[in-house]
Amino acid sequence: TQKLSEIKAPYMLLKGSVLSNLCEEDTKVYSDGERVSNDIDLLCQQDGITAISKALYDLGFVQGIYDSTTDTIKEFSRLEIVKRRMNRGEVAPFVKKTGNSEFPFVEVDINFSLGNTPAEGVALLKDMIEETVEHKGKVLMRVPDSELFFLHLIMHQYKESCLLFMVERSKDLDLYKLTDIYYLFKADILDFLHLEELVEKHSLQQEIGTVLKQVGEVFMDEEIMCYANKFDSDFPVIIDYENK
């Protein structure tokens, strides 16, 4: 994040990377140690990918996957890199070995879409990137306001609920993702009028209604269920992009 600040790259930090690095003076959603993050998620616009990728290469990252059996990084082929970018709205992961036996590698994921294809949610993504501010948390963090951050969690959960290869792996039911949304909703930090204005502006009734119903059911929370009913939503269609 220091490197990205130096090159003035427009981006925002996402999910656990933010929630696990908030300091006492920031809004506390989790206590220290309650929320961990096994990778670093960034969000940027498509025209920012090149600069961020170069910064990661300069720091010694490569695009690939860590193999624990050989303690090596297997680099992705060009075809795999292109396929992931076309089908997932994200760049193939950047990985770097740490030399630490307990935490042998660190992974950075660059996201450039809020939906299942690169073209989805472009206007909302632009708002998120343009509205970011730097927080001096445990690490330097560039994040948007609470409502936009909350909406990203909603969009990410909805996206994974619609992708067949994610649903097959039960990634749409990861409890920590639902917990993030539950705690933020309950933390008394959201301006619900502003949130609803954003939902209306970007036509996100389906996404927020569907995800909040899921969260309300899992946590048996009547308040969230009632709020979810403010938005018209249907059970999401699950899509198999690989086989069209």
Side-chain angles (χ1 to χ4, degrees):
T1 57
Q2 290 174 341
K3 177 77 169 177
L4 296 180
S5 181
E6 288 168 12
I7 66 171
K8 295 182 169 52
Y11 80 98
M12 64 176 266
L13 210 56
L14 305 176
K15 302 183 292 183
S17 301
V18 175
L19 295 170
S20 61
N21 282 297
L22 295 172
C23 286
E24 290 296 335
E25 59 269 24
D26 296 310
T27 301
K28 294 294 285 185
V29 180
Y30 291 98
S31 298
D32 281 347
E34 273 193 311
R35 179 64 160 91
V36 296
S37 180
N38 61 353
D39 56 17
I40 300 166
D41 287 294
L42 307 176
L43 181 69
C44 70
Q45 293 176 280
Q46 288 203 58
D47 58 8
I49 295 173
T50 300
I52 294 174
S53 297
K54 183 180 183 305
L56 291 171
Y57 283 125
D58 290 345
L59 291 170
F61 285 85
V62 297
Q63 286 180 279
I65 187 167
Y66 177 76
D67 184 344
S68 59
T69 58
T70 59
D71 188 33
T72 58
I73 295 172
K74 294 184 176 179
E75 294 191 43
F76 289 132
S77 67
R78 184 65 190 163
L79 177 62
E80 179 66 16
I81 290 171
V82 171
K83 190 170 80 168
R84 283 172 177 252
R85 184 160 171 172
M86 294 299 292
N87 291 336
R88 301 193 188 186
E90 62 188 34
V91 177
F94 284 81
V95 185
K96 180 181 178 179
K97 289 180 62 177
T98 63
N100 183 316
S101 59
E102 291 188 19
F103 189 72
F105 71 98
V106 60
E107 178 180 316
V108 178
D109 291 330
I110 303 175
N111 301 265
F112 59 88
S113 173
L114 298 173
N116 299 324
T117 63
E120 288 185 55
V122 172
L124 176 58
L125 191 152
K126 185 173 183 288
D127 279 359
M128 286 178 172
I129 300 297
E130 290 181 351
E131 295 297 322
T132 55
V133 294
E134 282 194 345
H135 279 261
K136 311 289 187 183
K138 296 173 188 172
V139 298
L140 187 69
M141 299 186 295
R142 181 162 283 280
V143 295
D145 65 33
S146 299
E147 293 73 44
L148 286 169
F149 184 82
F150 182 78
L151 276 179
H152 177 266
L153 294 178
I154 294 285
M155 294 289 286
H156 184 74
Q157 176 62 18
Y158 186 81
K159 172 182 174 179
E160 298 206 336
S161 298
C162 293
L163 294 173
L164 180 63
F165 75 93
M166 289 293 189
V167 174
E168 285 178 330
R169 295 158 54 203
S170 297
K171 296 293 286 182
D172 59 322
L173 294 174
D174 278 342
L175 185 59
Y176 77 90
K177 295 172 187 172
L178 303 177
T179 305
D180 288 344
I181 295 167
Y182 174 77
Y183 279 166
L184 277 173
F185 188 98
K186 292 292 195 177
D188 196 28
I189 59 173
L190 293 175
D191 179 338
F192 287 101
L193 181 59
H194 182 214
L195 179 66
E196 289 159 27
E197 288 171 351
L198 290 168
V199 169
E200 182 69 26
K201 176 182 177 182
H202 297 286
S203 301
L204 299 175
Q205 291 85 356
Q206 166 69 11
E207 289 84 351
I208 193 169
T210 299
V211 172
L212 287 182
K213 282 176 185 174
Q214 185 183 23
V215 173
E217 287 175 8
V218 168
F219 288 94
M220 295 181 287
D221 190 283
E222 191 173 333
E223 180 190 13
I224 293 179
M225 289 296 291
C226 287
Y227 190 74
N229 288 331
K230 294 183 69 168
F231 308 100
D232 291 330
S233 61
D234 298 313
F235 195 83
V237 174
I238 299 171
I239 304 167
D240 181 1
Y241 277 98
E242 292 282 335
N243 297 305
K244 303 189 187 303

